[in-house]
Amino acid sequence: GAVVSQHPSRVICKSGTSVKIECRSLDFQATTMFWYRQFPKKSLMLMATSNEGSKATYEQGVEKDKFLINHASLTLSTLTVTSAHPEDSSFYICSAGPPPAGGPYEQYFGPGTRLTVT
Amino acid sequence: KQEVTQIPAALSVPEGENLVLNCSFTDSAIYNLQWFRQDPGKGLTSLLLIQSSQREQTSGRLNASLDKSSGRSTLYIAASQPGDSATYLCAVTTSQLSFGAGTTVTVRA
């Protein structure tokens, strides 16, 4: 099956710094990738849809200036948490899926990145 | 807006017992439904994908049913083992994936 990787798997940073998380589709091209956030014992919440070559689409309530998304190629999307604060500490997961001829598709998930802001 | 509910939130059973996990969703106009497994601090592992035209999918000891008209899916895990202990998430696809909060399963040896 399709493989999606994330890097790093775990990161600890100080408050006020920025952190970049990479999401890669290893064996397929993904024009669209998705970024999710998960709080402890909660379901995944879609943060934004990353579109190759264009601006990301953010869900309501997600600060686009804080969570910068760049989808520079068909196999790489990055999420940068800018000026991180302790409340940004969370588990971030990306997903991607090879598009079919029409309609949504099965998504493959990355292993996630645990961000801890001290 | 699609809302996905999973009941129960937590479940503890002795080894060997069958597990029944429930998922309900409010908008029946879905493309598919997926069941995932998540171990603590880890990403998601896809278990089963049921297309909207299907009524069930099976993989080994796992069987998932889908009743789209009533907005329900059930995941059955036969003869549970301690290694089945994890959180199980269901997600439905409309224009995007919507997740339930999960059912945390503990199988006691």
Side-chain angles (χ1 to χ4, degrees), chain A residues 56-76:
Chain A
T57 303
Y58 290 83
E59 295 301 301
Q60 189 174 9
V62 178
E63 299 176 60
K64 61 181 180 181
D65 294 330
K66 180 167 189 61
F67 299 100
L68 301 179
I69 292 173
N70 183 279
H71 195 150
S73 77
L74 288 172
T75 59
L76 173 65

PDB file of all heavy atoms in Angstrom, chain A residues 56-76:
ATOM      1  N   ALA A  56      -2.957  26.786   0.951  1.00  0.00           N
ATOM      2  CA  ALA A  56      -3.698  25.801   1.723  1.00  0.00           C
ATOM      3  C   ALA A  56      -5.070  26.343   2.100  1.00  0.00           C
ATOM      4  O   ALA A  56      -5.284  27.559   2.183  1.00  0.00           O
ATOM      5  CB  ALA A  56      -2.916  25.430   2.980  1.00  0.00           C
ATOM      6  N   THR A  57      -5.970  25.426   2.322  1.00  0.00           N
ATOM      7  CA  THR A  57      -7.315  25.781   2.783  1.00  0.00           C
ATOM      8  C   THR A  57      -7.423  25.426   4.250  1.00  0.00           C
ATOM      9  O   THR A  57      -7.285  24.260   4.628  1.00  0.00           O
ATOM     10  CB  THR A  57      -8.382  25.011   1.987  1.00  0.00           C
ATOM     11  OG1 THR A  57      -8.211  25.280   0.596  1.00  0.00           O
ATOM     12  CG2 THR A  57      -9.779  25.432   2.435  1.00  0.00           C
ATOM     13  N   TYR A  58      -7.681  26.422   5.090  1.00  0.00           N
ATOM     14  CA  TYR A  58      -7.698  26.209   6.529  1.00  0.00           C
ATOM     15  C   TYR A  58      -9.129  26.029   7.036  1.00  0.00           C
ATOM     16  O   TYR A  58     -10.061  26.670   6.546  1.00  0.00           O
ATOM     17  CB  TYR A  58      -7.052  27.391   7.248  1.00  0.00           C
ATOM     18  CG  TYR A  58      -5.556  27.469   7.024  1.00  0.00           C
ATOM     19  CD1 TYR A  58      -5.027  28.059   5.881  1.00  0.00           C
ATOM     20  CD2 TYR A  58      -4.669  26.944   7.967  1.00  0.00           C
ATOM     21  CE1 TYR A  58      -3.657  28.120   5.672  1.00  0.00           C
ATOM     22  CE2 TYR A  58      -3.299  27.006   7.772  1.00  0.00           C
ATOM     23  CZ  TYR A  58      -2.800  27.590   6.618  1.00  0.00           C
ATOM     24  OH  TYR A  58      -1.441  27.639   6.408  1.00  0.00           O
ATOM     25  N   GLU A  59      -9.264  25.187   8.029  1.00  0.00           N
ATOM     26  CA  GLU A  59     -10.563  25.004   8.670  1.00  0.00           C
ATOM     27  C   GLU A  59     -10.842  26.187   9.589  1.00  0.00           C
ATOM     28  O   GLU A  59      -9.935  26.894  10.039  1.00  0.00           O
ATOM     29  CB  GLU A  59     -10.583  23.694   9.454  1.00  0.00           C
ATOM     30  CG  GLU A  59     -10.445  22.463   8.575  1.00  0.00           C
ATOM     31  CD  GLU A  59     -11.547  22.361   7.546  1.00  0.00           C
ATOM     32  OE1 GLU A  59     -12.730  22.314   7.927  1.00  0.00           O
ATOM     33  OE2 GLU A  59     -11.227  22.317   6.332  1.00  0.00           O
ATOM     34  N   GLN A  60     -12.110  26.368   9.854  1.00  0.00           N
ATOM     35  CA  GLN A  60     -12.512  27.477  10.704  1.00  0.00           C
ATOM     36  C   GLN A  60     -11.850  27.359  12.070  1.00  0.00           C
ATOM     37  O   GLN A  60     -11.834  26.278  12.675  1.00  0.00           O
ATOM     38  CB  GLN A  60     -14.036  27.477  10.858  1.00  0.00           C
ATOM     39  CG  GLN A  60     -14.591  28.697  11.544  1.00  0.00           C
ATOM     40  CD  GLN A  60     -16.124  28.708  11.526  1.00  0.00           C
ATOM     41  OE1 GLN A  60     -16.748  27.723  11.145  1.00  0.00           O
ATOM     42  NE2 GLN A  60     -16.713  29.818  11.911  1.00  0.00           N
ATOM     43  N   GLY A  61     -11.317  28.450  12.536  1.00  0.00           N
ATOM     44  CA  GLY A  61     -10.692  28.469  13.853  1.00  0.00           C
ATOM     45  C   GLY A  61      -9.203  28.174  13.847  1.00  0.00           C
ATOM     46  O   GLY A  61      -8.550  28.285  14.879  1.00  0.00           O
ATOM     47  N   VAL A  62      -8.656  27.799  12.709  1.00  0.00           N
ATOM     48  CA  VAL A  62      -7.219  27.523  12.613  1.00  0.00           C
ATOM     49  C   VAL A  62      -6.516  28.755  12.081  1.00  0.00           C
ATOM     50  O   VAL A  62      -6.873  29.282  11.021  1.00  0.00           O
ATOM     51  CB  VAL A  62      -6.953  26.318  11.684  1.00  0.00           C
ATOM     52  CG1 VAL A  62      -5.451  26.071  11.556  1.00  0.00           C
ATOM     53  CG2 VAL A  62      -7.653  25.076  12.207  1.00  0.00           C
ATOM     54  N   GLU A  63      -5.518  29.238  12.840  1.00  0.00           N
ATOM     55  CA  GLU A  63      -4.816  30.450  12.448  1.00  0.00           C
ATOM     56  C   GLU A  63      -3.812  30.158  11.334  1.00  0.00           C
ATOM     57  O   GLU A  63      -2.798  29.495  11.547  1.00  0.00           O
ATOM     58  CB  GLU A  63      -4.072  31.027  13.649  1.00  0.00           C
ATOM     59  CG  GLU A  63      -4.960  31.411  14.813  1.00  0.00           C
ATOM     60  CD  GLU A  63      -4.128  31.880  15.992  1.00  0.00           C
ATOM     61  OE1 GLU A  63      -3.392  32.872  15.830  1.00  0.00           O
ATOM     62  OE2 GLU A  63      -4.194  31.256  17.067  1.00  0.00           O
ATOM     63  N   LYS A  64      -4.073  30.689  10.160  1.00  0.00           N
ATOM     64  CA  LYS A  64      -3.199  30.399   9.026  1.00  0.00           C
ATOM     65  C   LYS A  64      -1.836  31.060   9.175  1.00  0.00           C
ATOM     66  O   LYS A  64      -0.849  30.587   8.602  1.00  0.00           O
ATOM     67  CB  LYS A  64      -3.858  30.826   7.717  1.00  0.00           C
ATOM     68  CG  LYS A  64      -4.163  32.306   7.617  1.00  0.00           C
ATOM     69  CD  LYS A  64      -4.843  32.598   6.282  1.00  0.00           C
ATOM     70  CE  LYS A  64      -5.161  34.070   6.148  1.00  0.00           C
ATOM     71  NZ  LYS A  64      -5.835  34.375   4.865  1.00  0.00           N
ATOM     72  N   ASP A  65      -1.752  32.163   9.923  1.00  0.00           N
ATOM     73  CA  ASP A  65      -0.455  32.810  10.103  1.00  0.00           C
ATOM     74  C   ASP A  65       0.396  32.089  11.140  1.00  0.00           C
ATOM     75  O   ASP A  65       1.602  32.314  11.222  1.00  0.00           O
ATOM     76  CB  ASP A  65      -0.653  34.263  10.528  1.00  0.00           C
ATOM     77  CG  ASP A  65      -1.300  35.081   9.428  1.00  0.00           C
ATOM     78  OD1 ASP A  65      -1.088  34.750   8.249  1.00  0.00           O
ATOM     79  OD2 ASP A  65      -2.026  36.034   9.745  1.00  0.00           O
ATOM     80  N   LYS A  66      -0.248  31.250  11.925  1.00  0.00           N
ATOM     81  CA  LYS A  66       0.482  30.519  12.943  1.00  0.00           C
ATOM     82  C   LYS A  66       0.908  29.149  12.414  1.00  0.00           C
ATOM     83  O   LYS A  66       1.990  28.665  12.714  1.00  0.00           O
ATOM     84  CB  LYS A  66      -0.385  30.322  14.177  1.00  0.00           C
ATOM     85  CG  LYS A  66       0.327  29.566  15.283  1.00  0.00           C
ATOM     86  CD  LYS A  66      -0.429  29.660  16.577  1.00  0.00           C
ATOM     87  CE  LYS A  66       0.416  29.083  17.695  1.00  0.00           C
ATOM     88  NZ  LYS A  66       1.685  29.804  17.877  1.00  0.00           N
ATOM     89  N   PHE A  67       0.046  28.547  11.654  1.00  0.00           N
ATOM     90  CA  PHE A  67       0.318  27.221  11.093  1.00  0.00           C
ATOM     91  C   PHE A  67       0.515  27.382   9.579  1.00  0.00           C
ATOM     92  O   PHE A  67      -0.434  27.330   8.804  1.00  0.00           O
ATOM     93  CB  PHE A  67      -0.831  26.264  11.401  1.00  0.00           C
ATOM     94  CG  PHE A  67      -1.056  26.042  12.866  1.00  0.00           C
ATOM     95  CD1 PHE A  67      -2.065  26.721  13.542  1.00  0.00           C
ATOM     96  CD2 PHE A  67      -0.257  25.158  13.582  1.00  0.00           C
ATOM     97  CE1 PHE A  67      -2.273  26.511  14.904  1.00  0.00           C
ATOM     98  CE2 PHE A  67      -0.463  24.936  14.938  1.00  0.00           C
ATOM     99  CZ  PHE A  67      -1.470  25.616  15.608  1.00  0.00           C
ATOM    100  N   LEU A  68       1.770  27.572   9.218  1.00  0.00           N
ATOM    101  CA  LEU A  68       2.098  27.805   7.815  1.00  0.00           C
ATOM    102  C   LEU A  68       2.253  26.485   7.074  1.00  0.00           C
ATOM    103  O   LEU A  68       2.997  25.618   7.511  1.00  0.00           O
ATOM    104  CB  LEU A  68       3.391  28.620   7.700  1.00  0.00           C
ATOM    105  CG  LEU A  68       3.387  29.992   8.363  1.00  0.00           C
ATOM    106  CD1 LEU A  68       4.732  30.673   8.183  1.00  0.00           C
ATOM    107  CD2 LEU A  68       2.270  30.867   7.807  1.00  0.00           C
ATOM    108  N   ILE A  69       1.547  26.363   5.973  1.00  0.00           N
ATOM    109  CA  ILE A  69       1.607  25.134   5.189  1.00  0.00           C
ATOM    110  C   ILE A  69       2.144  25.442   3.805  1.00  0.00           C
ATOM    111  O   ILE A  69       1.679  26.375   3.144  1.00  0.00           O
ATOM    112  CB  ILE A  69       0.221  24.472   5.103  1.00  0.00           C
ATOM    113  CG1 ILE A  69      -0.182  23.946   6.489  1.00  0.00           C
ATOM    114  CG2 ILE A  69       0.210  23.346   4.073  1.00  0.00           C
ATOM    115  CD1 ILE A  69      -1.586  23.422   6.560  1.00  0.00           C
ATOM    116  N   ASN A  70       3.108  24.636   3.407  1.00  0.00           N
ATOM    117  CA  ASN A  70       3.691  24.765   2.087  1.00  0.00           C
ATOM    118  C   ASN A  70       3.680  23.412   1.398  1.00  0.00           C
ATOM    119  O   ASN A  70       4.113  22.415   1.973  1.00  0.00           O
ATOM    120  CB  ASN A  70       5.124  25.296   2.189  1.00  0.00           C
ATOM    121  CG  ASN A  70       5.743  25.510   0.826  1.00  0.00           C
ATOM    122  OD1 ASN A  70       6.232  24.576   0.197  1.00  0.00           O
ATOM    123  ND2 ASN A  70       5.694  26.737   0.344  1.00  0.00           N
ATOM    124  N   HIS A  71       3.169  23.371   0.178  1.00  0.00           N
ATOM    125  CA  HIS A  71       3.088  22.103  -0.564  1.00  0.00           C
ATOM    126  C   HIS A  71       3.834  22.328  -1.876  1.00  0.00           C
ATOM    127  O   HIS A  71       3.221  22.537  -2.929  1.00  0.00           O
ATOM    128  CB  HIS A  71       1.616  21.765  -0.801  1.00  0.00           C
ATOM    129  CG  HIS A  71       1.375  20.359  -1.225  1.00  0.00           C
ATOM    130  ND1 HIS A  71       0.212  19.694  -0.914  1.00  0.00           N
ATOM    131  CD2 HIS A  71       2.119  19.488  -1.926  1.00  0.00           C
ATOM    132  CE1 HIS A  71       0.249  18.483  -1.416  1.00  0.00           C
ATOM    133  NE2 HIS A  71       1.402  18.331  -2.033  1.00  0.00           N
ATOM    134  N   ALA A  72       5.158  22.315  -1.782  1.00  0.00           N
ATOM    135  CA  ALA A  72       5.999  22.736  -2.892  1.00  0.00           C
ATOM    136  C   ALA A  72       6.143  21.695  -3.990  1.00  0.00           C
ATOM    137  O   ALA A  72       6.482  22.028  -5.120  1.00  0.00           O
ATOM    138  CB  ALA A  72       7.382  23.119  -2.366  1.00  0.00           C
ATOM    139  N   SER A  73       5.894  20.442  -3.650  1.00  0.00           N
ATOM    140  CA  SER A  73       6.025  19.401  -4.673  1.00  0.00           C
ATOM    141  C   SER A  73       4.917  18.374  -4.492  1.00  0.00           C
ATOM    142  O   SER A  73       4.174  18.431  -3.509  1.00  0.00           O
ATOM    143  CB  SER A  73       7.388  18.712  -4.581  1.00  0.00           C
ATOM    144  OG  SER A  73       7.409  17.798  -3.490  1.00  0.00           O
ATOM    145  N   LEU A  74       4.821  17.467  -5.414  1.00  0.00           N
ATOM    146  CA  LEU A  74       3.758  16.463  -5.353  1.00  0.00           C
ATOM    147  C   LEU A  74       4.000  15.395  -4.305  1.00  0.00           C
ATOM    148  O   LEU A  74       3.145  14.522  -4.111  1.00  0.00           O
ATOM    149  CB  LEU A  74       3.595  15.805  -6.732  1.00  0.00           C
ATOM    150  CG  LEU A  74       2.963  16.687  -7.803  1.00  0.00           C
ATOM    151  CD1 LEU A  74       3.041  16.016  -9.163  1.00  0.00           C
ATOM    152  CD2 LEU A  74       1.516  17.000  -7.458  1.00  0.00           C
ATOM    153  N   THR A  75       5.148  15.449  -3.638  1.00  0.00           N
ATOM    154  CA  THR A  75       5.422  14.433  -2.619  1.00  0.00           C
ATOM    155  C   THR A  75       5.761  15.032  -1.265  1.00  0.00           C
ATOM    156  O   THR A  75       6.070  14.291  -0.333  1.00  0.00           O
ATOM    157  CB  THR A  75       6.605  13.534  -3.061  1.00  0.00           C
ATOM    158  OG1 THR A  75       7.762  14.353  -3.272  1.00  0.00           O
ATOM    159  CG2 THR A  75       6.258  12.779  -4.348  1.00  0.00           C
ATOM    160  N   LEU A  76       5.697  16.346  -1.128  1.00  0.00           N
ATOM    161  CA  LEU A  76       6.113  16.961   0.130  1.00  0.00           C
ATOM    162  C   LEU A  76       5.211  18.117   0.516  1.00  0.00           C
ATOM    163  O   LEU A  76       4.969  19.030  -0.275  1.00  0.00           O
ATOM    164  CB  LEU A  76       7.564  17.460   0.025  1.00  0.00           C
ATOM    165  CG  LEU A  76       8.087  18.277   1.211  1.00  0.00           C
ATOM    166  CD1 LEU A  76       8.142  17.416   2.474  1.00  0.00           C
ATOM    167  CD2 LEU A  76       9.462  18.856   0.895  1.00  0.00           C
TER     168      LEU A  76
END
